[in-house]
Amino acid sequence: NKVIRKLVGGVGAKMKKAKVELIMAEAKIKARHKDHLVISSEGKEYSCRNLLLATGAEAIVPPIKGLNKEEALTSREILQIKEVPESLNIIGAGVVGMEFASFFNSLGTKVTVFEMMDEILPGTDSEISAMFRKDLSKKGVNILTSTTVTEIDGNKVIYENQEGKGEVEAEKLLLSVGRKANTGGIGLEELGIELTANKGVKIDEKCRTNIPNIYAAGDITGFSQLAHTASREAIVAVNNMLGKTERMRYNAVPSVVYSNPEIACVGMTQEEAESKGIACKTMALPMAYAGRFIVENEGKNGIAKIVVGEKYGEILGVHMYGNPSSEIIYGAAMAIEMEMRVKDMQEIIFPHPTVSEILHEIVFEK
């Protein structure tokens, strides 16, 4: 909380310096005219030519029988608890669920994770997901995949899978089944703003909605719900408002699972590339090929993978498991964004000794 206050204060200071008027209140789009929009808030009206929608998203609370919405925690409430729980049930094994599973396991909490899919971290490289699941299981995290939660009975989660029915009791319950865009109550319905299939605001590559002069950025789009994606979308939106043509690209958006060990990915997996008809191969090495990794992660291992197009040798994706992959993945994002080929990366000089040079080792693999 102290860190957050410091960061929020810094942002506030920058906004004040830029002479941005900040109104901490509910607001709604009141009217749309030919050359301007009207926003109402606390009885006052504000006129603007351009509007950026950035109301974010909130955690989904699933309709599970017996669920007490007041007692169940989402990613917001669980950060406010004052004591480490002795036990924790987590419904959902996506990024947020697995981050908290790893975190509370490190604090000594007995953690059980329930996931409907047959593997954790859907969309992540399948080999890395499996490695992470096995490592967490060795640390004592109970992960139940291909499992459906049927009921909540007090502190018990009642579930069903191929092995039959069962129940797990825990002190706390964390819901981590996804997030939904905050589109209600701000006047979008009256304007006829077009939504996507998952109820996010639909935007084009310039971050424009279907209504002229109305843009959207961040989790409200329901796509790539990451803070750094939101920042880039906002930049694209504002530049286009000001007449500077710029487009949003999602082919090189890095994604990180802030667990221990970390997982970091950018671009396509081999399965994704092949599903799009792209002939490719995967080059990989254990993270232990980097001496710095061995020193800083004694007794541990990981993997780094580069997906490469067969025809041009272009870098399509990079997937890493091991610390500190979150600090390395930006380089891989730059390589994909700049359409680098394997032979281009071979010419880059990596500092030694660093964990990042694992990528340099991989591109010289035959």
Side-chain angles (χ1 to χ4, degrees):
N1 286 338
K2 186 171 75 173
V3 171
I4 290 171
R5 283 194 297 270
K6 184 175 182 178
L7 294 175
V8 170
V11 173
K14 290 192 71 174
M15 293 176 72
K16 187 176 181 180
K17 185 178 180 181
K19 298 180 181 179
V20 175
E21 183 181 2
L22 178 61
I23 300 162
M24 300 292 288
E26 290 188 7
K28 186 174 182 178
I29 305 168
K30 185 176 181 180
R32 172 176 170 254
H33 301 287
K34 185 176 181 180
D35 58 348
H36 72 283
L37 294 144
V38 178
I39 312 298
S40 64
S41 179
E42 294 191 320
K44 295 183 180 180
E45 293 187 352
Y46 303 84
S47 178
C48 62
R49 180 182 177 189
N50 295 295
L51 174 65
L52 176 62
L53 301 171
T55 53
E58 61 183 13
I60 295 172
V61 178
I64 301 173
K65 181 182 177 182
L67 176 64
N68 186 331
K69 297 181 180 180
E70 302 301 320
E71 294 183 4
L73 307 173
T74 69
S75 56
R76 179 182 295 273
E77 292 87 15
I78 200 166
L79 292 173
Q80 304 304 320
I81 62 177
K82 302 298 183 183
E83 296 178 354
V84 178
E86 290 187 7
S87 54
L88 173 67
N89 281 334
I90 300 175
I91 300 177
V95 172
V96 174
M98 298 316 297
E99 286 176 340
F100 279 115
S102 176
F103 172 67
F104 279 102
N105 171 256
S106 298
L107 294 178
T109 300
K110 183 180 178 181
V111 179
T112 300
V113 181
F114 305 87
E115 171 57 45
M116 291 182 64
M117 306 291 285
D118 58 4
E119 186 55 277
I120 65 171
L121 299 174
T124 304
D125 177 89
S126 57
E127 183 180 7
I128 288 176
S129 294
M131 288 178 66
F132 182 45
R133 174 173 48 80
K134 290 176 182 177
D135 284 348
L136 280 184
S137 296
K138 289 178 182 177
K139 293 179 179 180
V141 178
N142 182 23
I143 302 174
L144 300 174
T145 54
S146 302
T147 297
T148 301
V149 174
T150 57
E151 186 179 351
I152 307 297
D153 182 9
N155 289 337
K156 295 178 183 178
V157 169
I158 301 172
Y159 66 90
E160 190 174 316
N161 55 28
Q162 290 181 340
E163 298 177 2
K165 297 181 179 180
E167 59 183 45
V168 179
E169 186 171 0
E171 183 182 335
K172 297 289 185 181
L173 172 64
L174 171 64
L175 303 175
S176 179
V177 296
R179 299 179 67 79
K180 60 180 179 180
N182 289 325
T183 57
I186 57 175
L188 302 190
E189 301 87 354
E190 293 85 345
L191 286 179
I193 293 281
E194 188 176 355
L195 302 181
T196 62
N198 64 346
K199 306 301 181 182
V201 172
K202 186 176 182 180
I203 57 173
D204 63 12
E205 63 179 10
K206 294 182 180 180
C207 295
R208 299 176 300 188
T209 68
N210 62 309
I211 304 298
N213 294 69
I214 299 182
Y215 299 73
D219 289 4
I220 191 175
T221 67
F223 180 74
S224 188
Q225 295 180 323
L226 300 165
H228 44 277
T229 301
S231 295
R232 176 59 188 160
E233 286 172 338
I235 291 170
V236 170
V238 172
N239 279 336
N240 280 292
M241 288 179 193
L242 300 176
K244 179 183 177 182
T245 301
E246 198 161 2
R247 65 186 183 91
M248 184 67 199
R249 299 178 297 277
Y250 295 96
N251 63 307
V253 177
S255 176
V256 177
V257 181
Y258 293 98
S259 52
N260 186 23
E262 294 178 339
I263 298 171
C265 312
V266 64
M268 292 183 279
T269 62
Q270 183 167 335
E271 293 83 1
E272 287 176 311
E274 289 174 345
S275 70
K276 295 180 179 181
I278 303 173
C280 62
K281 64 179 180 179
T282 297
M283 307 168 71
L285 281 176
M287 292 286 276
Y289 265 68
R292 176 79 173 265
F293 178 85
I294 298 174
V295 171
E296 296 181 348
N297 300 273
E298 188 174 359
K300 297 182 177 65
N301 204 349
I303 193 170
K305 310 171 79 169
I306 300 178
V307 182
V308 179
E310 291 275 17
K311 186 174 182 180
Y312 303 108
E314 75 276 25
I315 297 171
L316 299 172
V318 175
H319 310 272
M320 307 181 73
Y321 175 49
N323 298 332
S325 56
S326 65
E327 298 290 353
I328 300 169
I329 201 67
Y330 80 92
M334 292 174 66
I336 294 172
E337 185 65 47
M338 301 306 295
E339 300 181 340
M340 290 180 67
R341 299 160 296 178
V342 166
K343 65 178 184 179
D344 298 321
M345 189 173 280
Q346 288 175 341
E347 296 177 9
I348 301 297
I349 299 173
F350 284 69
H352 175 81
T354 61
V355 181
S356 67
E357 60 186 332
I358 186 66
L359 298 178
H360 204 224
E361 294 287 344
I362 292 173
V363 292
F364 280 99
E365 283 292 295
K366 299 297 183 183

